[in-house]
Structure formats: C-alpha cells, structure tokens
Amino acid sequence: RKRQIGSRSPDDHRLETRMTSQKQSAFRRYRALLVLVPILALAAGGLYYLKRRAITLPESPIARVPRTASAIAHVNVAAVVASPLWERLVVARGLDAPLVQIRERCGFDPVSQIEVLTFFALGARPDGLDKVGVVAEGPFEHERLAECVRQALAAEGGTAGGGATMSQVEIDGVPAVASSTDESRAAFLGERGNAAGMLPTVRAVIATVRGDAESASDDPVLSRLWSTVAAGRDIVLVGHVPPNWEESLREAVGGERVAMITSAFAGLRSVGLGLRLSGGLGFGGMLVLENAERARTLSTLLTSQIETLKNNMMVSLTPLGPIVRSVEVEHRGTDVVITLNVPQELSLIHI
C-alpha cells in the first residue's frame, strides 16, 4: 500500500523515539562526565596533597634536627603543663597570661594540641634567628591553628601597623605557609608534625626528616648526651659549647669572678641537661671534657664539694637538704655524669 506524502508510519515513530532516546542518553553521559571530571580532579588533588603530606616524624626528637645543629632544647609540653610544679610555679603566679590570651582570642587552647617542642640552633656560633628553628609534634587541627595564627597576625598588624599575612606555598613538595613580611615558613610534616623557621632552616628539617640528610642523632657526642640525660625527663638541653666560651665568660662577668669556674671546667666541650617536673623533681647532667684526665679532675672536685654539703648540718636542715643528699656524681671516660632525684611530695614542699 502506498503511503501518502507527509504521513508517518509507526516504524518512523519508533526510529525517531529510539534516536531521541540515544541522544538524551548521550547527553546524560556527557553531563555526568562534566560533573565527574572536577570531582575526580579534586580527589586526585587531595590524594596528591595527602601523599605529599605522608611524612612521618622520626621517633627520636634529635633525629628530626639537622646534623649541623650545635644546640637542641626539647620540651615535653604535655608533661610540663600537667605537672603540679607547673601549677604552683606558673599558673598560681599568673605567668601563663600569654597562654590565657591566646585561648581567649582563638576560642580554644592551641597548647593542648602540642605534645612536644624541639628547638635547635644551627652552626657553631648561631647569632641570628635565621639559624634557629623548631619542630612541633601533636594531634594538630590545621585549620583551627591556621585561623588562630591569622588572628594573631591581624592583632599584631593592628598594633604595629605591619599588616602581615600568610599564604599557602610548597617547600620541596611539602605543604607550608609563608609570611608576607620575611622568609619565615611553617611546613606541615604529615598530620602530626610542623617545622618553623626561616626558609633555609625549614628546608634543612624537611631533608632531615625524609632521610635525605644526616640528623643530629648522627653526631656521636650529641647522641651520647641525649641517651644519657633525656630518658624520663621533660625538659632536655644538649649542645656543644663555643670553642672560646672561657674568654666570652671572662669578658661578660669579669676575669677574677669566673677564674675558679673556668679553671674547674677547663677543657669543657659539650653539655647535656635534663629536668623532670612530673612525678617529682629530677635532674640529669652530663659534661663532656676534652680528655679523660680533665674529666677525672672535675669529677673529683664536684664529688668533694657535694660531700661537704651533705655533711653540713645547716644545709641538711634547709629545703636544700633532700636535694643535696640525692646528688650523685660519676666519672665515665671523658664524661662526668650528675644525677639527682627528689620525690614529688618533697619537691612540692620545698619549692
């Protein structure tokens, strides 16, 4: 049967319907692709960002510091702030006012997110802030901390007219923030780490943490000092003394006043000090001399002086009595080790 011109058969209608359906399906796929592409890009960017943040801090704090460090000061913030001595010596006297101001400004306590701080100075004679850095560890809430820092910068700019701002940058592939006023940087070392200082210093920390450069733990003297005085202590200082420390001390204080000190400690090369505030007062010290003979002489002198104090009845009746009686001095080759431990109840009574 002939079809009239302009008329449409059922087959034509089904064909048109199928073609329209295919076009709509293709459009839906295209529209879905338009939505998926930015989502995938964001996901890939997030994965890329997280992978770059996948840096884990070495377990030992001195392994996070470049080998060129001449001095390291480590603070177990959580232990110090939780100690009864902190409450008595700092909080009760209002010395924590700056921390209170930060809490009021930011609406939370940033200190609670910092478990430990490790400060360090690079070079034999660090004489500027460009050679000083700090590595922090803790369960950081990066966004809240960043906002707190922005508020602090705004407050400082408002009072000093500086108007400092921060911007997001990368340092050797590691996410970081940069100050607009100088080369100071803060790099995010994974989820729990942060390194702050001038750009060259932060870059050195990143290389150290990644294992691309040697750390302070590779320095045999600093490593020995750390292993001796750090265990079980909340505040630790280890470092090499400047080569001409005797001359500097004479110029600062006066030759006659320090003659006995410089004579007794002649040949001193490095020092380690550790202080425990939690669970009672404890102290550990280690002095590294240039040779065993000088170390033996110093050990004998210190032991004699301490024994004299222990046998002094007047000293025994003072708050210093329990502390003096707990002091021990030991000679180990080129090293002199000093320790003291006071029970917490006695330390609280006498401080």
Side-chain angles (χ1 to χ4, degrees):
R1 207 192 299 179
K2 291 185 179 180
R3 218 174 14 141
Q4 294 180 355
I5 298 175
S7 65
R8 299 176 62 188
S9 69
D11 292 336
D12 292 337
H13 181 72
R14 283 194 295 272
L15 178 61
E16 183 178 347
T17 301
R18 187 164 56 250
M19 292 177 65
T20 302
S21 176
Q22 289 174 350
K23 288 180 180 179
Q24 290 175 344
S25 177
F27 176 74
R28 282 196 296 269
R29 288 196 299 270
Y30 180 68
R31 185 177 60 186
L33 186 61
L34 288 177
V35 174
L36 272 175
V37 165
I39 292 176
L40 290 174
L42 288 172
L47 179 61
Y48 175 74
Y49 181 75
L50 289 174
K51 285 181 68 178
R52 289 196 165 202
R53 290 179 64 177
I55 297 178
T56 55
L57 291 175
E59 183 176 353
S60 173
I62 65 170
R64 308 167 184 177
V65 175
R67 175 160 183 169
T68 53
S70 58
I72 302 170
H74 178 74
V75 182
N76 185 332
V77 177
V80 170
V81 172
S83 69
L85 289 174
W86 173 269
E87 181 70 26
R88 171 168 284 194
L89 297 177
V90 179
V91 177
R93 302 179 184 184
L95 299 178
D96 63 336
L99 300 179
V100 173
Q101 292 176 0
I102 293 175
R103 286 196 297 268
E104 292 175 348
R105 176 186 296 149
C106 298
F108 71 104
D109 186 6
V111 177
S112 65
Q113 299 188 23
I114 302 174
E115 293 175 354
V116 297
L117 288 171
T118 306
F119 301 89
F120 61 90
L122 302 180
R125 295 182 61 86
D127 52 4
L129 291 178
D130 58 326
K131 296 181 181 178
V132 176
V134 59
V135 178
E137 180 184 7
F140 299 123
E141 297 178 61
H142 295 293
E143 291 77 13
R144 296 186 75 187
L145 285 173
E147 179 60 28
C148 183
V149 172
R150 275 193 288 269
Q151 293 178 17
L153 287 175
E156 181 181 347
T159 57
T165 60
M166 291 190 312
S167 60
Q168 294 182 348
V169 298
E170 283 194 356
I171 303 174
D172 298 336
V174 175
V177 291
S179 169
S180 62
T181 58
D182 53 29
E183 278 200 330
S184 59
R185 303 287 188 271
F188 301 108
L189 307 176
E191 293 292 333
R192 290 181 52 83
N194 187 283
M198 292 299 178
L199 178 58
T201 302
V202 173
R203 180 165 281 145
V205 173
I206 293 173
T208 301
V209 171
R210 280 176 165 168
D212 297 333
E214 289 188 326
S215 73
S217 62
D218 296 309
D219 182 319
V221 176
L222 290 184
S223 181
R224 190 166 80 248
L225 288 167
W226 181 268
S227 63
T228 302
V229 304
R233 298 191 173 108
D234 306 319
I235 302 174
V236 181
L237 172 65
V238 296
H240 302 298
V241 298
N244 58 342
W245 70 270
E246 298 102 326
E247 181 181 344
S248 300
L249 187 61
R250 291 191 196 98
E251 292 177 354
V253 181
E256 295 182 359
R257 296 180 181 179
V258 299
M260 187 174 66
I261 297 176
T262 55
S263 175
F265 291 88
L268 182 64
R269 292 293 176 263
S270 303
V271 176
L273 305 172
L275 180 64
R276 186 185 70 245
L277 298 179
S278 56
L281 183 64
F283 171 82
M286 179 171 167
L287 308 174
V288 179
L289 284 296
E290 64 181 358
N291 56 54
E293 182 58 34
R294 287 191 181 277
R296 184 181 298 106
T297 301
L298 178 59
S299 175
T300 301
L301 175 63
L302 292 176
T303 300
S304 174
Q305 294 293 326
I306 292 169
E307 288 300 321
T308 300
L309 290 174
K310 288 181 179 180
N311 295 327
N312 188 311
M313 183 64 69
M314 296 302 295
V315 173
S316 299
L317 296 176
T318 68
L320 290 176
I323 298 177
V324 172
R325 286 192 293 272
S326 71
V327 177
E328 299 292 338
V329 179
E330 182 183 357
H331 171 228
R332 304 177 187 173
T334 60
D335 306 335
V336 178
V337 180
I338 308 166
T339 58
L340 70 84
N341 291 284
V342 180
Q344 182 165 293
E345 57 273 15
L346 288 178
S347 63
L348 288 175
I349 291 173
H350 295 305
I351 292 181

